[in-house]
Amino acid sequence: MRKSLCLLTTMMAAGLMVTTSCKSDSDDYVKKPYTVSDGERLEYAQKTLNTIIDRTQDWVLTANYSVKVNVDADLEGIQEIAVLDGNPFVRSTSILAKTTAHQNETKELTFKAPLADSLCYVACITSDQQYIARPFLPGKDAVVSFQTPAVRKALSMMATRGLADNATEADYEDCWDLKNGVTNLEDLLEEANRFIPAKQNNRAQVEALGSYSIITDIENDIVLNCIYSRPGVNDVKIGCRIDPSQSGTGIQTYVLKDGIFNGKYFRYETPLHLLWGASIPWNYEPEKYEFKVPANSKIDFFVVHGEEDLSDDMNHATCFSVNDNSYLAFDTGDKWDYHDRIFLITGGGKPAPKADVEPITPTPQIWTYVWEDKDFGDYDMNDCVIEVEEHADDASQIKVTLVALGGARRLWLGFDSKTAESYKDHKPVINKELHEVLGVRVGTLVNTGRTKANPVVVYDGPKPEGFDFQTCSFVLGAMFQDDQKGVYVSDYYHIHIATAGQDPHGIVIPGKWQWPTEQTCIKDAYPEFNTWASDRTKAQDWYKHPVPQKVVTR
């Protein structure tokens, strides 16, 4: 720290006052680089977070992936394919990558996706925004095809093996081997729920659709895969009437053998697949659980009350299609929500009538950047928070929004440059101090639980050369406190996104994120953060599990 030296010495000798001249040491002072080692920061972070940080931890939550897409979905006028972070028929999703494409082409897409073991979806999209979307596992599934959807491939294995009375859970686990296809039972149920919401009277739209039948196109097994059964529904069975119009054998009526309540079901382990499913075959002959339905047969479904009563009750059954997946749902009472049993239909049946369920239009992926503005801070990770997204129609353009400031120092934001020697060598995102951008005085903490202000777009334009969301993105400039000004080469020091061997002073979060409130350490706002910090292979989705009272919600 620089000191101004002015030595005034008064000497009383022989009645004389002698005064020395003043001299400033600034004449000899040489400004020095600002240096605090990564080791010092890391040691401090471990004490503050109360954990031992994995020495290989690079603080990266995403990885680069690629997937080849066979553009063979049953859609007219396909113009585009996209990789999405979820099922667009279930929830709002983000676009991870997209490109123009047409029927029967093969295209390869590269994208970033979260490390956490989760499904992504590939969607074929028409000019009028019709979609078909299929799940896949990034890094494991190299190719996605729509003609043989992975969901049907996995489920059909159950059908070919059948359900033996002595089947064990291990048998079903083998049937659902991920190497042979990928599905997400939770998403399948939510797809169906878009047409028949739980705890709602859905009779009007079901009757308008007017279908309780499926038609076979070839001789094949028809397999019902249970994705939901309301607890306690044990005394009502499902019936079907098969009209094999081409075989001349006449109409036959059957009751389906219910494998759900005989312990014959498979349960996925979390986190990938969150529900259970069961394959229910036809009870055609004793000890035989496969039935080859003749081609061009019509199969009507109904509810059976009691052991012998086969009176048809068609009003309580409905067949419908969402996202090219066919579903069968039953209502066994007078609720009319059609939520007592829900099945995915696989096998040789033609798709059921399409329900009036439109996809939710995906939006560009949002990336949240969070920083500490001090070398030895409190790790509440809210000193500066920005959100960044690509333009929906042009991935070369980005929008940067300043959403929160929990840092009291003067702050500046720039695009990262690996050759920069000071903050002035980074291209500014905006030529303005960040508190001023939000219309508050320097030192005011904004959108961290105290003062509020509307987020402000600070940049909307082309990506700088070499820009990458993770490895070359943004740098935060923080001004030294008053007693340190003039000591170093620059009055600002620049804070990059954290890399391997460093403390977590800056992190990139994939998606919108709820940052900790002021002075709430990230380990307290996100209890799984320390698990990840101490072992980069664990709890990679820690940022999805906050303590509600300890984060900022908007």
Side-chain angles (χ1 to χ4, degrees), residues 220-364:
N220 208 336
D221 295 318
I222 300 299
V223 184
L224 304 183
N225 308 277
C226 185
I227 58 175
Y228 180 76
S229 180
R230 193 194 303 276
V233 182
N234 299 304
D235 59 344
V236 179
K237 292 182 172 60
I238 298 165
C240 68
R241 185 177 60 218
I242 302 176
D243 182 359
S245 57
Q246 302 298 316
S247 67
T249 58
I251 296 174
Q252 302 175 61
T253 302
Y254 302 96
V255 176
L256 301 188
K257 179 178 176 61
D258 190 339
I260 297 175
F261 296 104
N262 296 323
K264 295 172 182 171
Y265 63 87
F266 170 76
R267 184 181 301 279
Y268 265 127
E269 297 296 330
T270 57
L272 267 184
H273 305 282
L274 306 176
L275 296 182
W276 53 267
S279 177
I280 299 185
W282 304 109
N283 188 12
Y284 178 53
E285 295 177 1
E287 305 304 322
K288 184 176 181 180
Y289 303 108
E290 292 182 3
F291 185 80
K292 294 290 185 184
V293 181
N296 300 314
S297 295
K298 180 184 178 185
I299 307 174
D300 297 330
F301 293 97
F302 54 88
V303 170
V304 181
H305 293 271
E307 290 295 328
E308 303 298 331
D309 180 10
L310 293 182
S311 57
D312 294 4
D313 194 345
M314 306 297 189
N315 290 332
H316 291 278
T318 182
C319 295
F320 60 94
S321 176
V322 176
N323 188 25
D324 205 34
N325 292 320
S326 293
Y327 296 96
L328 170 64
F330 292 91
D331 185 275
T332 59
D334 56 2
K335 296 185 180 68
W336 301 108
D337 62 357
Y338 293 87
H339 250 262
D340 289 328
R341 294 279 174 82
I342 304 175
F343 299 88
L344 178 71
I345 306 171
T346 58
K350 292 181 180 179
K354 184 177 179 181
D356 187 16
V357 178
E358 296 299 320
I360 302 168
T361 302
T363 56

Side-chain angles (χ1 to χ4, degrees), residues 84-97:
L84 309 176
D85 67 353
N87 185 344
F89 289 87
V90 171
R91 61 184 66 87
S92 298
T93 59
S94 296
I95 302 168
L96 304 182

Side-chain angles (χ1 to χ4, degrees), residues 8 104 114 122 124 135 220 275 322 355 364-365 402 407 426 494 506 536 546:
L8 176 62
N104 297 324
V122 170
C124 285
N220 208 336
L275 296 182
V322 176
Q365 167 74 300
L402 177 62
H426 300 283
H494 43 287
R536 62 194 293 263

